[in-house]
Amino acid sequence: MQNYRVAILGCRNRGTAEARAYHAHPRTDIVALCDLVQELLDTLGAEVGVPPSARYRDLDAMMREVQPDIVAIPVGIEFHYPLAMRVLEYGANIEVEKPLCQDLAQADEIIAKAEQKGVRVAVHQQGRVSPYMQAVAQANAAGRIGQVRYIYGSGKGYYGGYGLLDIGTHMLNNMLRFGGHVRSVSGIATTDGHRIGPEDVLEGPRGSGTIAGEHVTATLEFDHNATGTLLQHRFPGVGAASAAYTLEVYGTEGRLVMNASKRVEGAWWLPHPHHLPGGEHGNWQPLDPLYPDHYDPRSPADPADYWFVEEYVRALDEGRDHECSGIEGRHIMEIMLGVFESAVYGRRVDLPQPQRDHPLVRWRREQGAGPPTPMPRDLHEWYAAEDQRLGRA
Ligand SMILES: NC(=O)c1ccc[n+]([C@@H]2O[C@H](COP(=O)([O-])OP(=O)(O)OC[C@H]3O[C@@H](n4cnc5c(N)ncnc54)[C@H](O)[C@@H]3O)[C@@H](O)[C@H]2O)c1
């Protein structure tokens, strides 16, 4: 089997993490790097063995000269769509950081362009293939909880509407692995204790697009005869409730839990459908994380990112989509924007939505308000500006 030739477009935090995984994997070779900042190119190039001649500042030059099989696009969210479209034009498989893009019209264009070029899209939502998720999926496939009937997911305490697009993307992707696709969503979004109004529709931090709601709660109806709840509730501080970052799968005969926070990371199985503290009904049994045979724990590659690469290699070898495909990524956008749509219009939203524009932008327009006022891109500055707006500064 030939190795896949990989280019990394964007060499800061996430680009470095992804490059480490592709560098460590025996079936992928990093053949080029691209960034606007020379220092980042040189630091990462030295670490993963990409020579100066293959370090690019111009992505078109890189694509023309190197013709990689896979291009990883770990850049700010507002750049996902334009850069994905530019790279797809060259007929390369891509993986984009999460979430796929900012609205459904963009998602449709990305999927259509990939289909036209005959290439694959993956979204870097590595949690779905992480070592503990593999353990939970294996336990479920072995029938250890019977039939899945309900799935609970929580974010890690970011401002709800932003958390939905940031951590909610990962959590929804995890939930889809057990429930299948989502047929309908109902959402409630509150800010400062009241139901959101047009003034609470905001430009989100970190290029996330338009968001709303300090506390967002969603009810999900899955294809596989299950329902679910997704919580994205703001806790004091900025993302200070990372221990809340939990997936729980309820079955007819047992339950599975995975916590993805660094402090209490792990997975557990309860051989009873109902949890009661203490006694046999509180007896959660730990599950061992699963790794690919060739994963070296001494390598700097994060195991979830390594699994993500392993899954892309298997998918391309087998001529199929990645478990975290562009189609899944678009469906997750449909769920997240459906939650916003349900929250502002006060009704259940069936998926996929016929209208592909951003529901919060549409709603503000219908309410006679223009586009939301610009907010700081930096997360901490954004929180400060929002607290000031709410009179809390
Ligand atoms: N999967 C995860 O666990 C996870 C965690 C955190 C963040 N993210 C996602 O990662 C992304 C942000 O990654 P980051 O924090 O490393 O981003 P960043 O903004 O810090 O870095 C992006 C890099 O891309 C480069 N770049 C931008 N446009 C370019 C262009 N046209 N040509 C060449 N280089 C270009 C920039 O110079 C910069 O160095 C977001 O999508 C975010 O949602 C994912």
Side-chain angles (χ1 to χ4, degrees):
M1 286 272 193
Q2 257 185 297
N3 274 17
Y4 293 105
R5 302 169 68 256
V6 180
I8 310 286
L9 167 54
C11 299
R12 209 176 282 270
N13 293 349
R14 289 302 306 154
T16 299
E18 293 178 9
R20 285 176 178 158
Y22 282 107
H23 184 56
H25 198 284
R27 290 287 314 285
T28 52
D29 300 321
I30 304 181
V31 291
L33 300 177
C34 182
D35 202 291
L36 305 172
V37 182
Q38 190 63 43
E39 194 189 336
L40 295 173
L41 282 170
D42 292 340
T43 305
L44 188 57
E47 179 177 339
V48 298
V50 174
S53 59
R55 301 174 192 167
Y56 290 86
R57 305 269 287 273
D58 172 0
L59 89 87
D60 294 291
M62 175 179 82
M63 294 306 297
R64 274 195 309 270
E65 291 168 23
V66 180
Q67 298 178 11
D69 300 314
I70 302 172
V71 180
I73 312 181
V75 295
I77 302 168
E78 66 271 59
F79 305 117
H80 292 184
Y81 163 74
L83 293 185
M85 292 299 284
R86 264 172 80 185
V87 171
L88 284 170
E89 199 56 51
Y90 291 94
N93 301 294
I94 62 168
E95 62 136 300
V96 193
E97 259 301 346
K98 55 80 195 169
L100 176 58
C101 50
Q102 290 183 324
D103 67 33
L104 298 177
Q106 291 180 350
D108 290 342
E109 280 188 54
I110 292 171
I111 302 294
K113 178 61 75 178
E115 280 171 4
Q116 181 207 338
K117 295 286 177 180
V119 292
R120 310 264 172 201
V121 177
V123 184
H124 204 105
Q125 293 170 323
Q126 73 276 22
R128 178 162 169 169
V129 291
S130 71
Y132 283 112
M133 268 293 283
Q134 304 282 6
V136 168
Q138 189 187 57
N140 179 49
R144 291 173 86 175
I145 61 166
Q147 296 294 314
V148 173
R149 58 189 176 84
Y150 173 78
I151 308 167
Y152 166 89
S154 169
K156 46 174 148 173
Y158 286 132
Y159 191 101
Y162 167 68
L164 179 62
L165 296 179
D166 185 279
I167 295 299
T169 51
H170 285 299
M171 189 48 76
L172 286 167
N173 197 38
N174 293 348
M175 294 166 93
L176 297 184
R177 189 157 179 181
F178 301 96
H181 274 195
V182 169
R183 288 185 207 145
S184 75
V185 298
S186 306
I188 296 173
T190 59
T191 294
D192 207 24
H194 60 261
R195 194 179 290 179
I196 53 170
E199 69 284 3
D200 301 311
V201 173
L202 308 169
E203 186 182 287
R206 293 178 168 169
S208 53
T210 307
I211 64 140
E214 204 171 16
H215 286 217
V216 175
T217 303
T219 301
L220 312 170
E221 179 191 8
F222 291 95
D223 268 347
H224 296 170
N225 196 23
T227 53
T229 305
L230 179 72
L231 300 188
Q232 297 291 330
H233 291 181
R234 179 185 178 182
F235 281 67
V238 177
S242 61
Y245 192 14
T246 299
L247 168 81
E248 189 164 351
V249 187
Y250 293 58
T252 50
E253 293 163 32
R255 273 155 80 167
L256 290 160
V257 163
M258 185 198 66
N259 190 288
S261 69
K262 293 286 176 224
R263 265 193 299 146
V264 278
E265 188 179 25
W268 296 266
W269 170 53
L270 181 73
H272 304 279
H274 311 293
H275 168 88
L276 293 173
E280 60 167 350
H281 287 83
N283 186 16
W284 290 92
Q285 300 176 22
L287 299 174
D288 290 332
L290 302 176
Y291 300 93
D293 294 343
H294 39 74
Y295 175 67
D296 180 352
R298 291 162 306 176
S299 96
D302 176 88
D305 288 327
Y306 191 90
W307 258 120
F308 185 90
V309 170
E310 166 70 7
E311 167 61 11
Y312 216 169
V313 167
R314 289 184 193 180
L316 293 175
D317 282 355
E318 294 164 21
R320 61 167 173 85
D321 269 336
H322 196 291
E323 170 100 24
C324 311
S325 66
I327 300 285
E328 292 294 87
R330 176 172 63 179
H331 184 58
I332 292 161
M333 297 286 306
E334 278 163 351
I335 301 168
M336 297 188 301
L337 297 180
V339 171
F340 285 140
E341 181 167 343
S342 170
V344 293
Y345 289 99
R347 58 175 165 76
R348 194 184 71 199
V349 172
D350 292 324
L351 304 183
Q353 301 89 319
Q355 281 178 277
R356 311 301 279 172
D357 59 340
H358 198 301
L360 294 177
V361 176
R362 186 194 320 144
W363 186 64
R364 251 187 84 105
R365 196 177 50 240
E366 289 168 2
Q367 302 291 315
T373 26
M375 293 274 280
R377 192 182 187 285
D378 174 80
L379 189 62
H380 289 83
E381 289 174 23
W382 188 95
Y383 267 71
E386 173 60 350
D387 280 340
Q388 192 170 22
R389 183 184 80 86
L390 296 173
R392 296 181 190 159

